[in-house]
Amino acid sequence: MSANHSLSGKTVLVGAGAKNLGGLISTTVARDGANVVIHYHSDATAPDARRTAEAVEAAGGKALTVQGDLSDVSEVERLFATAKDHFGGIDVAVNTAGMVLRKPIVETTEEEYDRMFAVNSKAAYFFIREAGRHLDDNGKVITIVTSLLAAFTDGYSTYAGAKAPVEHFTRAAAKEFAARGISVNNIAPGPMDTPFFYGQETRSAWSSTSRRRWATTSPRSRTSCRW
């Protein structure tokens, strides 16, 4: 990393930072010199958060773990306030939290729809809002969305649909936070070799030559959560 973009001594808050992509981000920025606030969702994820915190500290950084449900706005507020109080400021906020559902539209329930939008859209909005309130000047805000936003595919109507508004949240925030030098961006990765992906597709999904077999063998409904 160049001196102009050094993370040395900076504080990075990672939403869903205990495992999968979030865990990788947490440990990577620690190796680049950052202190890391590792958010995790539930008691089930607490062991992952502890292991990631240990890895951050082994890399030379300081770690703080904070549990909370990001679909609850008060919990998002508490996350940022706790991070700022502990480290004195926040330089980078990365939200990797997400929930994916592969299910036909005609079979999707109202409860599933509401939950998908709570995790993928509402939580993202208020994460950005709190980042705008708490980040130091010249900070960075990054939200992980999905490459499915550019895909013409079936089964992911609530997942990609709930991630789609985040693109506009990001554009609006980039305009509104620009005067303070805060950049706001999305990153839209494709499938990754983590349990977040395993729950949705079979291994055949990795091969473009196997798409026909994948379509006939994949379960009709699966849910995975990244936080």
Side-chain angles (χ1 to χ4, degrees), residues 160-175:
K163 288 289 190 181
V166 181
E167 290 193 315
H168 185 72
F169 301 161
T170 298
R171 285 192 290 268
K175 285 278 191 179

Side-chain angles (χ1 to χ4, degrees), residues 22-170:
L24 178 61
I25 291 171
S26 294
T27 55
T28 299
V29 298
R31 288 195 294 270
D32 286 332
N35 300 316
V36 188
V37 181
I38 302 163
H39 159 264
Y40 66 101
H41 175 65
S42 66
D43 291 343
T45 319
D48 297 294
R50 287 193 294 270
R51 283 191 290 270
T52 300
E54 290 169 358
V56 166
E57 291 168 352
K62 297 177 182 178
L64 172 68
T65 60
V66 182
Q67 183 176 355
D69 180 352
L70 297 187
S71 66
D72 180 336
V73 177
S74 66
E75 293 288 275
V76 185
E77 294 169 344
R78 183 177 62 82
L79 169 63
F80 277 85
T82 301
K84 191 170 184 178
D85 288 345
H86 187 83
F87 284 114
I90 306 168
D91 300 286
V92 181
V94 184
N95 182 21
T96 76
M99 177 176 282
V100 60
L101 172 69
R102 179 172 173 80
K103 193 171 188 179
I105 291 173
V106 296
E107 297 177 10
T108 302
T109 67
E110 181 180 7
E111 180 181 7
E112 289 168 333
Y113 176 95
D114 288 345
R115 185 60 176 159
M116 292 297 290
F117 273 78
V119 173
N120 294 309
S121 189
K122 177 185 176 183
Y125 183 91
F126 288 100
F127 189 97
I128 292 170
R129 187 192 75 174
E130 291 306 298
R133 290 177 172 180
H134 291 282
L135 254 65
D136 293 346
D137 290 352
N138 303 309
K140 314 293 182 187
V141 186
I142 301 166
T143 308
I144 302 300
V145 289
T146 173
S147 61
L148 286 170
L149 294 180
F152 181 53
T153 188
D154 66 321
Y156 291 105
S157 60
T158 54
Y159 176 55
K163 288 289 190 181
V166 181
E167 290 193 315
H168 185 72
F169 301 161
T170 298

